[in-house]
Amino acid sequence: MNTHDQHGRGRTGPRLGRTRLLATAGAAALVLTAGLASPLVPAAPRAHAAEGTQAEKDGKDGKDGKVLTVAVAQSVDSLSPFLAVRLLSTSIHRLTYEYLTNYDPKDAHVVPGLATKWEPSPDKLTWTYTIRSDSKWSDGQQATAEDAAWTFNKMMTDQGAATANGSFVNNFEKVTAPSPTQLVIRLKKPQATMTALDVPIVPKHVWEKVDDFSEFNNDKSFPVVGNGPFVLTAYKPDSYVRLKANRDFWRGAPKFDELVFRYYKDQDAAVAALRKGEVSFVAGSPALTPAQAASLKGEKDIRVNEGPGRRFYALATNPGAQARNGKKFGDGHPSLLDERVRHALFMAVDRKTIVDKVFQGHAVEGQGYIPPRYPTYFWEPSGNRRLAYDPAKAAELLDRAGYRANADGKRVGKDGKPLNYRVLCHATDPNDKAVGKYLQEWWGGLGIGVTLDCLDNVTDPWLAGKYDLAFDGWSVNPDPDFVLSIHTCAALPATPKDTGATDNFICDKTYDELYAKQLAEYDPAERANLVKQMESRLYDLGYMNVMAYPNAVEAYRTDQIESITTMPAEAGNIYGQDGYWSWWSAVPADSDDSSGGSTSTGVVIGIVAGVVVLAGLAGLFAMRRRATAEDRE
C-alpha cells in the first residue's frame, strides 16, 4: 500500500502510508551509491492578478518577499517528525530539521549534514559522529550532539516516538553525547546503514515538553523551532503549508523568502493554476498525466521536466492480515492465500499495455521491487521464473488450484461461489482507474470478477485488512533498506488494534533472514547480492506485482523560477528528491543571483572535510493512519 513515496521514502512511497522503518542510504565508509506550487509573489505579471486572494488562502499577508508556491496533490499526515510518513510531510521535515547525513544531489552518495564526519570502531559496533558547531535552532539556541542523542533515546524508550522511525534504532544499544560536538552510538551488532540514519534531529529543549508522542501532531503552535533551510510558520489542513527562509541556515539561506505547499484535490485544477501563474510548480499525484504534460509542452514560460522515477507502481494482494501476536483480522479473499492464484492473476496483467496505453511511454515495464534508477540493487527475473503475460497459462494455474470455470464461464471455488475481487484504488489517481479497467477486462477473460473500490480514503480499509488487492507503490531511496523493511514480520502491528509499519502484512521467515543479513553486511557487492535475493523472494511469493516504474513528470514556470536543482544532476527530478536541494537552490526569475545553476543541473556547494557537502530531501500520520504510497519517500 502506501507514497514513500515513502519517502518518501517514500514516501510517493507507498500509496498508503505506514510507519516508517529504516529509510537508509548506506555506509559512508563503503560510499554506497546505492511539488506543488505557489506563485512567486513579486513574479510574473500573471501571478499578480490572483495574489491578493490567494495570499489569504495561503495564510500570508502578501507583504513578504518572493514566494515559491508548489501545488501538491496530497495532504499532510502529521507535522510531527516522529509520526509522519507521507512524502509531503517528510519533505517538509527535510526542510525544517537537519539529519546527521544527507545525499549528494549529483549522484546520491552520502555527504555530511548535521554531522561533519563519522568514524566506526574496528568492530563496527561503535560509531562516533562529529556534530557541526555552526548550526543553530531558529529560536537562537545552539544545535548540539545532546539534541541528537535525546532524539534517538526518545525513540528507543517511547513507543509513540518510535512510530515512524523506530526501526532506525532497533539495533541501538546505547546513545550518548560526551560533548556538544560528539555523538556516540553503540550497536548490538554491525549495521550497514549508519551513514544514512534518515531521522530528523529535533531540539531537546522544545520536544522534551511533549507528553504523548503518539498523539502530538506539532500543528498548533507556530513558528516551529527547527534548524533546516526553512522554518515552518503556518499550516491549514488540506489547504496549505507555509515556510519561511531560514536566514541563519549554516549552508546559506534559500533564495526565495517563502515556500508554500498548496493542496489541490483535483490535478487538472493544479495544472490550470500553473498556467495562470498562481503556482510556480506542479508535479501531480505524484506525476503529471501524459495528457497534462503534453498540453503544457510548448506553452510560453512553462518548462516540463521528465526523468527516470524513484517509484514503482504495483498491485499488492492481501496475504491474510495478521498481527505479531498471531491474531488474524480483515476479510481478504481466501483464494489469494494460494500462490498459484496470485501468480495466475499477475500472468494476466499486460505490463506493456500499461506502459504504452496508461503511461503512454512515460514509464518502464516493472519487474523487481527496486527501480532501474538504482542499478546497484536493480533485479529482474529471468527464464522460467518470469511471470510474463500469458492468459492461457494463467487459466491453467487457476484450474490446477481448483478454481474452474462453471457453465457461465465464471471461476468458482469449492463453495460454489464465483471469484470476485475487490481492488482498492485511489479516487484521485487516474492511473489507478485506467489500470483498473484493464484488470476488469483481463481478469474477466479468466472468469474472475473485479470490483474497483475507488476511495478518497483508502487508509481505513487497508489498515483493517478489508481488501483483496490494492494499487501500491513507494518512492525508493538510494539505499533500499526502508522499502525492504516494510515487508518483514517485525513490521506487522503488535495487535489487530495497533498500526504497524507493514506495507501489506507480508511475513515470511526466509525473507526476514535475508533482511537481517543485508542489514549487517558491509561489503557493497555482497549486500547488493543479498538485496537482490530479497527481491527474488518477494517476486516468487507473488504478493507484490510491480507493473511499472513511472517517470517523474513535472512542470514549472520559467518566468517565476530562473533555475532549480534536479536530482540526479542529469535527467533528474525536482519534487520528491532525496534532499532539500530543489527548493533550497531555486532562484527567482527576477533575481540578480543566478548562482543556483541552470534549470536542469545541480548547484555547486562548498567542500567540507574534503567531501562535497550536500543534503537530502525526503518526506500528520496519526497512529492509525497511513499515507498513500507515492506519498512516501
Side-chain angles (χ1 to χ4, degrees), residues 433-465:
K433 295 177 181 178
V435 174
K437 291 187 180 298
Y438 278 113
L439 294 181
Q440 290 175 325
E441 174 187 337
W442 294 329
W443 293 353
L446 294 174
I448 297 174
V450 175
T451 300
L452 289 179
D453 196 6
C454 296
L455 307 171
D456 287 332
N457 171 26
V458 296
T459 295
D460 291 342
W462 203 317
L463 285 175

PDB file of all heavy atoms in Angstrom, residues 433-465:
ATOM      1  N   LYS A 433      -7.511   4.150 -11.939  1.00  0.00           N
ATOM      2  CA  LYS A 433      -8.792   3.890 -12.605  1.00  0.00           C
ATOM      3  C   LYS A 433      -8.582   3.278 -13.985  1.00  0.00           C
ATOM      4  O   LYS A 433      -9.306   2.358 -14.384  1.00  0.00           O
ATOM      5  CB  LYS A 433      -9.592   5.181 -12.711  1.00  0.00           C
ATOM      6  CG  LYS A 433     -10.011   5.753 -11.361  1.00  0.00           C
ATOM      7  CD  LYS A 433     -10.747   7.073 -11.524  1.00  0.00           C
ATOM      8  CE  LYS A 433     -11.146   7.643 -10.171  1.00  0.00           C
ATOM      9  NZ  LYS A 433     -11.820   8.964 -10.294  1.00  0.00           N
ATOM     10  N   ALA A 434      -7.584   3.779 -14.716  1.00  0.00           N
ATOM     11  CA  ALA A 434      -7.322   3.266 -16.067  1.00  0.00           C
ATOM     12  C   ALA A 434      -6.842   1.822 -16.015  1.00  0.00           C
ATOM     13  O   ALA A 434      -7.322   0.967 -16.771  1.00  0.00           O
ATOM     14  CB  ALA A 434      -6.296   4.150 -16.774  1.00  0.00           C
ATOM     15  N   VAL A 435      -5.893   1.530 -15.118  1.00  0.00           N
ATOM     16  CA  VAL A 435      -5.397   0.164 -14.993  1.00  0.00           C
ATOM     17  C   VAL A 435      -6.513  -0.740 -14.481  1.00  0.00           C
ATOM     18  O   VAL A 435      -6.637  -1.899 -14.893  1.00  0.00           O
ATOM     19  CB  VAL A 435      -4.175   0.098 -14.056  1.00  0.00           C
ATOM     20  CG1 VAL A 435      -3.752  -1.353 -13.820  1.00  0.00           C
ATOM     21  CG2 VAL A 435      -3.009   0.891 -14.638  1.00  0.00           C
ATOM     22  N   GLY A 436      -7.348  -0.210 -13.591  1.00  0.00           N
ATOM     23  CA  GLY A 436      -8.460  -0.987 -13.061  1.00  0.00           C
ATOM     24  C   GLY A 436      -9.392  -1.481 -14.146  1.00  0.00           C
ATOM     25  O   GLY A 436      -9.886  -2.621 -14.100  1.00  0.00           O
ATOM     26  N   LYS A 437      -9.632  -0.661 -15.144  1.00  0.00           N
ATOM     27  CA  LYS A 437     -10.498  -1.072 -16.256  1.00  0.00           C
ATOM     28  C   LYS A 437      -9.850  -2.205 -17.058  1.00  0.00           C
ATOM     29  O   LYS A 437     -10.532  -3.124 -17.531  1.00  0.00           O
ATOM     30  CB  LYS A 437     -10.812   0.133 -17.141  1.00  0.00           C
ATOM     31  CG  LYS A 437     -11.720   1.168 -16.483  1.00  0.00           C
ATOM     32  CD  LYS A 437     -12.121   2.249 -17.451  1.00  0.00           C
ATOM     33  CE  LYS A 437     -13.022   3.279 -16.765  1.00  0.00           C
ATOM     34  NZ  LYS A 437     -14.286   2.644 -16.295  1.00  0.00           N
ATOM     35  N   TYR A 438      -8.542  -2.132 -17.208  1.00  0.00           N
ATOM     36  CA  TYR A 438      -7.839  -3.225 -17.891  1.00  0.00           C
ATOM     37  C   TYR A 438      -7.930  -4.514 -17.070  1.00  0.00           C
ATOM     38  O   TYR A 438      -8.099  -5.604 -17.633  1.00  0.00           O
ATOM     39  CB  TYR A 438      -6.379  -2.859 -18.132  1.00  0.00           C
ATOM     40  CG  TYR A 438      -6.154  -2.012 -19.359  1.00  0.00           C
ATOM     41  CD1 TYR A 438      -5.719  -0.692 -19.258  1.00  0.00           C
ATOM     42  CD2 TYR A 438      -6.383  -2.535 -20.636  1.00  0.00           C
ATOM     43  CE1 TYR A 438      -5.511   0.087 -20.389  1.00  0.00           C
ATOM     44  CE2 TYR A 438      -6.178  -1.757 -21.771  1.00  0.00           C
ATOM     45  CZ  TYR A 438      -5.751  -0.450 -21.645  1.00  0.00           C
ATOM     46  OH  TYR A 438      -5.553   0.323 -22.777  1.00  0.00           O
ATOM     47  N   LEU A 439      -7.817  -4.398 -15.753  1.00  0.00           N
ATOM     48  CA  LEU A 439      -7.925  -5.585 -14.910  1.00  0.00           C
ATOM     49  C   LEU A 439      -9.302  -6.227 -15.067  1.00  0.00           C
ATOM     50  O   LEU A 439      -9.415  -7.463 -15.111  1.00  0.00           O
ATOM     51  CB  LEU A 439      -7.692  -5.223 -13.439  1.00  0.00           C
ATOM     52  CG  LEU A 439      -6.296  -4.735 -13.049  1.00  0.00           C
ATOM     53  CD1 LEU A 439      -6.242  -4.448 -11.554  1.00  0.00           C
ATOM     54  CD2 LEU A 439      -5.232  -5.753 -13.428  1.00  0.00           C
ATOM     55  N   GLN A 440     -10.319  -5.412 -15.133  1.00  0.00           N
ATOM     56  CA  GLN A 440     -11.665  -5.951 -15.319  1.00  0.00           C
ATOM     57  C   GLN A 440     -11.751  -6.728 -16.636  1.00  0.00           C
ATOM     58  O   GLN A 440     -12.413  -7.771 -16.715  1.00  0.00           O
ATOM     59  CB  GLN A 440     -12.686  -4.818 -15.290  1.00  0.00           C
ATOM     60  CG  GLN A 440     -12.863  -4.197 -13.909  1.00  0.00           C
ATOM     61  CD  GLN A 440     -13.787  -2.995 -13.910  1.00  0.00           C
ATOM     62  OE1 GLN A 440     -13.811  -2.210 -14.868  1.00  0.00           O
ATOM     63  NE2 GLN A 440     -14.554  -2.825 -12.834  1.00  0.00           N
ATOM     64  N   GLU A 441     -11.061  -6.219 -17.648  1.00  0.00           N
ATOM     65  CA  GLU A 441     -11.062  -6.892 -18.949  1.00  0.00           C
ATOM     66  C   GLU A 441     -10.209  -8.160 -18.910  1.00  0.00           C
ATOM     67  O   GLU A 441     -10.675  -9.249 -19.315  1.00  0.00           O
ATOM     68  CB  GLU A 441     -10.524  -5.943 -20.016  1.00  0.00           C
ATOM     69  CG  GLU A 441     -10.339  -6.571 -21.384  1.00  0.00           C
ATOM     70  CD  GLU A 441      -9.652  -5.653 -22.378  1.00  0.00           C
ATOM     71  OE1 GLU A 441      -9.696  -4.408 -22.174  1.00  0.00           O
ATOM     72  OE2 GLU A 441      -9.047  -6.160 -23.345  1.00  0.00           O
ATOM     73  N   TRP A 442      -8.968  -8.044 -18.412  1.00  0.00           N
ATOM     74  CA  TRP A 442      -8.043  -9.178 -18.420  1.00  0.00           C
ATOM     75  C   TRP A 442      -8.512 -10.299 -17.498  1.00  0.00           C
ATOM     76  O   TRP A 442      -8.546 -11.460 -17.889  1.00  0.00           O
ATOM     77  CB  TRP A 442      -6.641  -8.719 -18.020  1.00  0.00           C
ATOM     78  CG  TRP A 442      -6.010  -7.781 -19.009  1.00  0.00           C
ATOM     79  CD1 TRP A 442      -6.203  -7.742 -20.352  1.00  0.00           C
ATOM     80  CD2 TRP A 442      -5.074  -6.733 -18.706  1.00  0.00           C
ATOM     81  NE1 TRP A 442      -5.451  -6.746 -20.924  1.00  0.00           N
ATOM     82  CE2 TRP A 442      -4.743  -6.110 -19.941  1.00  0.00           C
ATOM     83  CE3 TRP A 442      -4.479  -6.263 -17.546  1.00  0.00           C
ATOM     84  CZ2 TRP A 442      -3.850  -5.041 -20.025  1.00  0.00           C
ATOM     85  CZ3 TRP A 442      -3.583  -5.207 -17.618  1.00  0.00           C
ATOM     86  CH2 TRP A 442      -3.280  -4.601 -18.845  1.00  0.00           C
ATOM     87  N   TRP A 443      -8.842  -9.954 -16.270  1.00  0.00           N
ATOM     88  CA  TRP A 443      -9.278 -10.980 -15.324  1.00  0.00           C
ATOM     89  C   TRP A 443     -10.681 -11.479 -15.643  1.00  0.00           C
ATOM     90  O   TRP A 443     -11.012 -12.625 -15.354  1.00  0.00           O
ATOM     91  CB  TRP A 443      -9.186 -10.455 -13.895  1.00  0.00           C
ATOM     92  CG  TRP A 443      -7.757 -10.216 -13.472  1.00  0.00           C
ATOM     93  CD1 TRP A 443      -6.629 -10.543 -14.162  1.00  0.00           C
ATOM     94  CD2 TRP A 443      -7.318  -9.575 -12.268  1.00  0.00           C
ATOM     95  NE1 TRP A 443      -5.506 -10.153 -13.473  1.00  0.00           N
ATOM     96  CE2 TRP A 443      -5.888  -9.558 -12.301  1.00  0.00           C
ATOM     97  CE3 TRP A 443      -7.963  -9.015 -11.182  1.00  0.00           C
ATOM     98  CZ2 TRP A 443      -5.134  -9.006 -11.275  1.00  0.00           C
ATOM     99  CZ3 TRP A 443      -7.210  -8.464 -10.152  1.00  0.00           C
ATOM    100  CH2 TRP A 443      -5.806  -8.456 -10.201  1.00  0.00           C
ATOM    101  N   GLY A 444     -11.472 -10.598 -16.244  1.00  0.00           N
ATOM    102  CA  GLY A 444     -12.791 -11.028 -16.689  1.00  0.00           C
ATOM    103  C   GLY A 444     -12.681 -12.126 -17.728  1.00  0.00           C
ATOM    104  O   GLY A 444     -13.507 -13.038 -17.795  1.00  0.00           O
ATOM    105  N   GLY A 445     -11.628 -12.055 -18.556  1.00  0.00           N
ATOM    106  CA  GLY A 445     -11.393 -13.091 -19.559  1.00  0.00           C
ATOM    107  C   GLY A 445     -11.070 -14.438 -18.939  1.00  0.00           C
ATOM    108  O   GLY A 445     -11.223 -15.482 -19.589  1.00  0.00           O
ATOM    109  N   LEU A 446     -10.618 -14.405 -17.677  1.00  0.00           N
ATOM    110  CA  LEU A 446     -10.339 -15.650 -16.958  1.00  0.00           C
ATOM    111  C   LEU A 446     -11.560 -16.144 -16.192  1.00  0.00           C
ATOM    112  O   LEU A 446     -11.516 -17.205 -15.559  1.00  0.00           O
ATOM    113  CB  LEU A 446      -9.192 -15.440 -15.965  1.00  0.00           C
ATOM    114  CG  LEU A 446      -7.800 -15.139 -16.531  1.00  0.00           C
ATOM    115  CD1 LEU A 446      -6.836 -14.818 -15.399  1.00  0.00           C
ATOM    116  CD2 LEU A 446      -7.287 -16.322 -17.343  1.00  0.00           C
ATOM    117  N   GLY A 447     -12.633 -15.333 -16.220  1.00  0.00           N
ATOM    118  CA  GLY A 447     -13.836 -15.700 -15.473  1.00  0.00           C
ATOM    119  C   GLY A 447     -13.849 -15.160 -14.064  1.00  0.00           C
ATOM    120  O   GLY A 447     -14.595 -15.653 -13.207  1.00  0.00           O
ATOM    121  N   ILE A 448     -13.042 -14.137 -13.805  1.00  0.00           N
ATOM    122  CA  ILE A 448     -12.948 -13.542 -12.468  1.00  0.00           C
ATOM    123  C   ILE A 448     -13.544 -12.140 -12.478  1.00  0.00           C
ATOM    124  O   ILE A 448     -13.228 -11.330 -13.351  1.00  0.00           O
ATOM    125  CB  ILE A 448     -11.482 -13.474 -11.998  1.00  0.00           C
ATOM    126  CG1 ILE A 448     -10.912 -14.881 -11.875  1.00  0.00           C
ATOM    127  CG2 ILE A 448     -11.367 -12.729 -10.668  1.00  0.00           C
ATOM    128  CD1 ILE A 448      -9.429 -14.911 -11.566  1.00  0.00           C
ATOM    129  N   GLY A 449     -14.390 -11.850 -11.510  1.00  0.00           N
ATOM    130  CA  GLY A 449     -14.979 -10.525 -11.396  1.00  0.00           C
ATOM    131  C   GLY A 449     -14.060  -9.565 -10.670  1.00  0.00           C
ATOM    132  O   GLY A 449     -13.291  -9.963  -9.793  1.00  0.00           O
ATOM    133  N   VAL A 450     -14.136  -8.305 -11.037  1.00  0.00           N
ATOM    134  CA  VAL A 450     -13.317  -7.263 -10.412  1.00  0.00           C
ATOM    135  C   VAL A 450     -14.207  -6.089 -10.037  1.00  0.00           C
ATOM    136  O   VAL A 450     -14.905  -5.525 -10.888  1.00  0.00           O
ATOM    137  CB  VAL A 450     -12.196  -6.777 -11.350  1.00  0.00           C
ATOM    138  CG1 VAL A 450     -11.445  -5.599 -10.722  1.00  0.00           C
ATOM    139  CG2 VAL A 450     -11.231  -7.901 -11.677  1.00  0.00           C
ATOM    140  N   THR A 451     -14.185  -5.725  -8.766  1.00  0.00           N
ATOM    141  CA  THR A 451     -14.908  -4.557  -8.291  1.00  0.00           C
ATOM    142  C   THR A 451     -13.906  -3.504  -7.872  1.00  0.00           C
ATOM    143  O   THR A 451     -13.136  -3.711  -6.919  1.00  0.00           O
ATOM    144  CB  THR A 451     -15.806  -4.901  -7.084  1.00  0.00           C
ATOM    145  OG1 THR A 451     -16.759  -5.894  -7.478  1.00  0.00           O
ATOM    146  CG2 THR A 451     -16.538  -3.660  -6.593  1.00  0.00           C
ATOM    147  N   LEU A 452     -13.864  -2.395  -8.594  1.00  0.00           N
ATOM    148  CA  LEU A 452     -12.949  -1.317  -8.249  1.00  0.00           C
ATOM    149  C   LEU A 452     -13.530  -0.504  -7.098  1.00  0.00           C
ATOM    150  O   LEU A 452     -14.636   0.025  -7.191  1.00  0.00           O
ATOM    151  CB  LEU A 452     -12.715  -0.396  -9.449  1.00  0.00           C
ATOM    152  CG  LEU A 452     -11.883  -0.970 -10.593  1.00  0.00           C
ATOM    153  CD1 LEU A 452     -11.778   0.057 -11.712  1.00  0.00           C
ATOM    154  CD2 LEU A 452     -10.509  -1.391 -10.117  1.00  0.00           C
ATOM    155  N   ASP A 453     -12.786  -0.449  -6.007  1.00  0.00           N
ATOM    156  CA  ASP A 453     -13.228   0.286  -4.820  1.00  0.00           C
ATOM    157  C   ASP A 453     -12.398   1.561  -4.733  1.00  0.00           C
ATOM    158  O   ASP A 453     -11.402   1.636  -4.003  1.00  0.00           O
ATOM    159  CB  ASP A 453     -13.029  -0.589  -3.583  1.00  0.00           C
ATOM    160  CG  ASP A 453     -13.806  -0.087  -2.383  1.00  0.00           C
ATOM    161  OD1 ASP A 453     -14.589   0.865  -2.553  1.00  0.00           O
ATOM    162  OD2 ASP A 453     -13.633  -0.649  -1.290  1.00  0.00           O
ATOM    163  N   CYS A 454     -12.774   2.571  -5.531  1.00  0.00           N
ATOM    164  CA  CYS A 454     -12.000   3.814  -5.605  1.00  0.00           C
ATOM    165  C   CYS A 454     -12.478   4.791  -4.538  1.00  0.00           C
ATOM    166  O   CYS A 454     -13.616   5.266  -4.579  1.00  0.00           O
ATOM    167  CB  CYS A 454     -12.134   4.430  -6.999  1.00  0.00           C
ATOM    168  SG  CYS A 454     -11.431   3.399  -8.303  1.00  0.00           S
ATOM    169  N   LEU A 455     -11.602   5.099  -3.596  1.00  0.00           N
ATOM    170  CA  LEU A 455     -11.967   5.892  -2.434  1.00  0.00           C
ATOM    171  C   LEU A 455     -11.023   7.075  -2.247  1.00  0.00           C
ATOM    172  O   LEU A 455      -9.863   7.024  -2.639  1.00  0.00           O
ATOM    173  CB  LEU A 455     -11.913   5.027  -1.170  1.00  0.00           C
ATOM    174  CG  LEU A 455     -12.702   3.712  -1.180  1.00  0.00           C
ATOM    175  CD1 LEU A 455     -12.348   2.900   0.063  1.00  0.00           C
ATOM    176  CD2 LEU A 455     -14.193   3.987  -1.252  1.00  0.00           C
ATOM    177  N   ASP A 456     -11.545   8.140  -1.637  1.00  0.00           N
ATOM    178  CA  ASP A 456     -10.675   9.235  -1.217  1.00  0.00           C
ATOM    179  C   ASP A 456      -9.791   8.776  -0.067  1.00  0.00           C
ATOM    180  O   ASP A 456      -8.646   9.191   0.072  1.00  0.00           O
ATOM    181  CB  ASP A 456     -11.515  10.438  -0.758  1.00  0.00           C
ATOM    182  CG  ASP A 456     -12.180  11.151  -1.915  1.00  0.00           C
ATOM    183  OD1 ASP A 456     -11.630  11.115  -3.034  1.00  0.00           O
ATOM    184  OD2 ASP A 456     -13.253  11.737  -1.719  1.00  0.00           O
ATOM    185  N   ASN A 457     -10.332   7.909   0.774  1.00  0.00           N
ATOM    186  CA  ASN A 457      -9.608   7.392   1.928  1.00  0.00           C
ATOM    187  C   ASN A 457      -9.457   5.883   1.803  1.00  0.00           C
ATOM    188  O   ASN A 457     -10.374   5.122   2.112  1.00  0.00           O
ATOM    189  CB  ASN A 457     -10.350   7.747   3.220  1.00  0.00           C
ATOM    190  CG  ASN A 457      -9.767   7.048   4.439  1.00  0.00           C
ATOM    191  OD1 ASN A 457      -8.585   6.684   4.462  1.00  0.00           O
ATOM    192  ND2 ASN A 457     -10.591   6.843   5.452  1.00  0.00           N
ATOM    193  N   VAL A 458      -8.311   5.445   1.319  1.00  0.00           N
ATOM    194  CA  VAL A 458      -8.036   4.005   1.237  1.00  0.00           C
ATOM    195  C   VAL A 458      -7.361   3.515   2.510  1.00  0.00           C
ATOM    196  O   VAL A 458      -7.134   2.312   2.676  1.00  0.00           O
ATOM    197  CB  VAL A 458      -7.143   3.682   0.019  1.00  0.00           C
ATOM    198  CG1 VAL A 458      -7.850   4.002  -1.267  1.00  0.00           C
ATOM    199  CG2 VAL A 458      -5.819   4.421   0.106  1.00  0.00           C
ATOM    200  N   THR A 459      -7.039   4.435   3.404  1.00  0.00           N
ATOM    201  CA  THR A 459      -6.308   4.093   4.614  1.00  0.00           C
ATOM    202  C   THR A 459      -7.074   3.135   5.518  1.00  0.00           C
ATOM    203  O   THR A 459      -6.546   2.113   5.951  1.00  0.00           O
ATOM    204  CB  THR A 459      -5.968   5.369   5.406  1.00  0.00           C
ATOM    205  OG1 THR A 459      -5.077   6.168   4.648  1.00  0.00           O
ATOM    206  CG2 THR A 459      -5.327   5.034   6.738  1.00  0.00           C
ATOM    207  N   ASP A 460      -8.310   3.485   5.812  1.00  0.00           N
ATOM    208  CA  ASP A 460      -9.064   2.702   6.795  1.00  0.00           C
ATOM    209  C   ASP A 460      -9.266   1.249   6.388  1.00  0.00           C
ATOM    210  O   ASP A 460      -8.983   0.340   7.175  1.00  0.00           O
ATOM    211  CB  ASP A 460     -10.401   3.382   7.087  1.00  0.00           C
ATOM    212  CG  ASP A 460     -10.223   4.693   7.844  1.00  0.00           C
ATOM    213  OD1 ASP A 460      -9.137   4.899   8.422  1.00  0.00           O
ATOM    214  OD2 ASP A 460     -11.157   5.514   7.853  1.00  0.00           O
ATOM    215  N   PRO A 461      -9.762   0.975   5.166  1.00  0.00           N
ATOM    216  CA  PRO A 461      -9.911  -0.434   4.800  1.00  0.00           C
ATOM    217  C   PRO A 461      -8.578  -1.169   4.703  1.00  0.00           C
ATOM    218  O   PRO A 461      -8.498  -2.366   4.995  1.00  0.00           O
ATOM    219  CB  PRO A 461     -10.627  -0.375   3.443  1.00  0.00           C
ATOM    220  CG  PRO A 461     -10.369   0.994   2.914  1.00  0.00           C
ATOM    221  CD  PRO A 461     -10.301   1.863   4.119  1.00  0.00           C
ATOM    222  N   TRP A 462      -7.522  -0.441   4.313  1.00  0.00           N
ATOM    223  CA  TRP A 462      -6.214  -1.094   4.213  1.00  0.00           C
ATOM    224  C   TRP A 462      -5.707  -1.508   5.590  1.00  0.00           C
ATOM    225  O   TRP A 462      -5.272  -2.630   5.809  1.00  0.00           O
ATOM    226  CB  TRP A 462      -5.226  -0.154   3.542  1.00  0.00           C
ATOM    227  CG  TRP A 462      -4.075  -0.876   2.912  1.00  0.00           C
ATOM    228  CD1 TRP A 462      -3.364  -1.912   3.426  1.00  0.00           C
ATOM    229  CD2 TRP A 462      -3.517  -0.626   1.623  1.00  0.00           C
ATOM    230  NE1 TRP A 462      -2.369  -2.315   2.552  1.00  0.00           N
ATOM    231  CE2 TRP A 462      -2.452  -1.541   1.434  1.00  0.00           C
ATOM    232  CE3 TRP A 462      -3.802   0.300   0.630  1.00  0.00           C
ATOM    233  CZ2 TRP A 462      -1.670  -1.557   0.283  1.00  0.00           C
ATOM    234  CZ3 TRP A 462      -3.024   0.274  -0.515  1.00  0.00           C
ATOM    235  CH2 TRP A 462      -1.981  -0.638  -0.697  1.00  0.00           C
ATOM    236  N   LEU A 463      -5.790  -0.580   6.552  1.00  0.00           N
ATOM    237  CA  LEU A 463      -5.334  -0.888   7.906  1.00  0.00           C
ATOM    238  C   LEU A 463      -6.146  -2.012   8.529  1.00  0.00           C
ATOM    239  O   LEU A 463      -5.639  -2.807   9.312  1.00  0.00           O
ATOM    240  CB  LEU A 463      -5.451   0.354   8.791  1.00  0.00           C
ATOM    241  CG  LEU A 463      -4.412   1.454   8.583  1.00  0.00           C
ATOM    242  CD1 LEU A 463      -4.748   2.659   9.438  1.00  0.00           C
ATOM    243  CD2 LEU A 463      -3.024   0.953   8.903  1.00  0.00           C
ATOM    244  N   ALA A 464      -7.425  -2.068   8.156  1.00  0.00           N
ATOM    245  CA  ALA A 464      -8.304  -3.099   8.707  1.00  0.00           C
ATOM    246  C   ALA A 464      -8.173  -4.422   7.972  1.00  0.00           C
ATOM    247  O   ALA A 464      -8.778  -5.425   8.371  1.00  0.00           O
ATOM    248  CB  ALA A 464      -9.751  -2.611   8.662  1.00  0.00           C
ATOM    249  N   GLY A 465      -7.386  -4.462   6.888  1.00  0.00           N
ATOM    250  CA  GLY A 465      -7.236  -5.688   6.110  1.00  0.00           C
ATOM    251  C   GLY A 465      -8.488  -6.036   5.334  1.00  0.00           C
ATOM    252  O   GLY A 465      -8.694  -7.192   4.955  1.00  0.00           O
TER     253      GLY A 465
END
